[in-house]
Amino acid sequence: MRLLFLGDMVGKTGRTAVWEQLPGLISDFKLDFVIVNGENAAGGFGITEEIFRETLAAGADVVTTGNHVWDQRDALIFAPREERFLRPSNFPKGTPGRGSGVYIARNGARVLVANIMGRVFMHPELDDPFQAGERELAACPLGEQADAAIVDFHAEATSEKMCFAHFVDGRASLVVGTHTHQPTADHQILNGGTAYISDAGMCGDYDSSLGMDKEEPLNRFLSKVPKGRFEAASGPATLCGVGVDISDRTGLAEKIAPFRRGPRLEETAPSFWA
């Protein structure tokens, strides 16, 4: 199975770039399944139902989120009825929406997708992500109820992301880090066959501070006095994520490589998709 994961969409420029390019990527690379993190898609803070639906219309199979999931109150309304919209599964019991689901890929494979949020340096501090991962993977084991299992681990600390990946190694196809918006260079396949990257990066304007216009963040570092609100940067967006080939026989990863397309970062795509 051929899977593309795209990191956090940030603002109008990020979401528009995804909407415009994703249909061609699916066609050109013959993608079986696409996951997009959308938690910063609405002006850099949260996501609306309209944006969610446009992302599905562009070809995304699932939209994941993170700590900004409820920044747009609209999400509290549509989350309970949208099976392809995920919020972190370790929110307390009774939180609207769902943290995981099983979806059918274009090649007929059953794909478990779980959205889990870390606790180190994160707000709000949610339930234990390791217990949440154990619960999700035990309820839908790879090779039994699922042909592939993907975890979007939304966290700040690299150590927490890496330890979680080692914890589920051999039981998940891919653990992909999100939240920090900066693509890392540590993509690898762990000893048990789980693909991993600490952060997929973002889909947004990299002439910025994490996708936000850089003037106000810079001002706050220099003066400690806010002059205005954070606003999403509006320059041309670069898409960032990872491509993974997953074995149809074992459900484990065979290959992983970064995907980057846009004006600011060096462009790259998985060579095994050529």
Side-chain angles (χ1 to χ4, degrees):
M1 186 180 77
R2 187 167 287 186
L3 177 141
L4 175 66
F5 183 99
L6 292 177
D8 312 38
M9 293 191 295
V10 181
K12 183 178 181 180
T13 188
R15 67 179 187 255
T16 301
V18 170
W19 297 346
E20 290 177 348
Q21 297 186 48
L22 187 53
L25 296 177
I26 293 171
S27 175
D28 293 345
F29 293 123
K30 298 179 174 58
L31 300 177
D32 296 308
F33 202 79
V34 177
I35 304 169
V36 179
N37 186 295
E39 72 144 5
N40 300 117
F45 300 96
I47 186 171
T48 65
E49 184 170 13
E50 180 181 1
I51 292 172
F52 165 70
R53 290 190 176 278
E54 287 282 355
T55 306
L56 293 187
D61 295 287
V62 182
V63 175
T64 55
T65 56
N67 57 303
H68 289 290
V69 60
W70 309 127
D71 283 8
Q72 302 292 328
R73 307 303 291 179
D74 184 29
L76 289 165
I77 299 172
F78 77 82
R81 65 173 183 265
E82 295 291 351
E83 294 186 356
R84 294 197 281 170
F85 180 79
L86 299 183
R87 46 81 174 159
S89 70
N90 46 335
F91 267 104
K93 186 177 180 180
T95 301
R98 68 192 67 225
S100 66
V102 178
Y103 310 93
I104 304 301
R106 292 170 185 82
N107 67 341
R110 301 163 299 172
V111 184
L112 168 67
V113 181
N115 195 180
I116 298 174
M117 195 166 104
R119 295 199 292 187
V120 179
F121 308 128
M122 294 294 286
H123 179 78
E125 185 173 310
L126 303 185
D127 298 339
D128 184 353
F130 290 83
Q131 290 186 12
E134 181 68 33
R135 181 180 65 247
E136 297 291 358
L137 295 174
C140 190
L142 188 64
E144 296 180 23
Q145 279 80 39
D147 301 305
I150 316 301
V151 179
D152 175 346
F153 196 79
H154 196 81
E156 183 77 29
T158 304
S159 60
E160 187 180 25
K161 295 179 181 182
M162 296 188 77
C163 283
F164 180 86
H166 287 301
F167 177 64
V168 302
D169 187 19
R171 297 185 289 158
S173 313
L174 168 67
V175 174
V176 55
T178 56
H179 178 66
T180 64
H181 292 196
Q182 294 300 109
T184 56
D186 59 342
H187 56 282
Q188 60 185 288
I189 296 178
L190 304 181
N191 293 339
T194 295
Y196 171 77
I197 188 169
S198 291
D199 203 283
M202 69 174 179
C203 296
D205 178 7
Y206 276 83
D207 183 18
S208 67
S209 174
L210 307 181
M212 309 305 288
D213 185 278
K214 55 184 179 286
E215 295 306 321
E216 181 58 19
L218 180 59
N219 164 67
R220 294 190 190 188
F221 278 115
L222 293 173
S223 71
K224 310 302 180 185
V225 179
K227 289 184 177 178
R229 299 175 57 190
F230 284 173
E231 301 285 348
S234 58
T238 296
L239 302 188
C240 275
V242 289
V244 184
D245 273 3
I246 299 169
S247 170
D248 294 332
R249 181 178 60 84
T250 66
L252 296 172
E254 295 180 326
K255 298 175 182 177
I256 179 172
F259 175 85
R260 294 191 294 270
R261 178 175 289 182
R264 297 292 296 191
L265 306 182
E266 181 180 6
E267 291 199 3
T268 184
S271 59
F272 49 86
W273 286 358

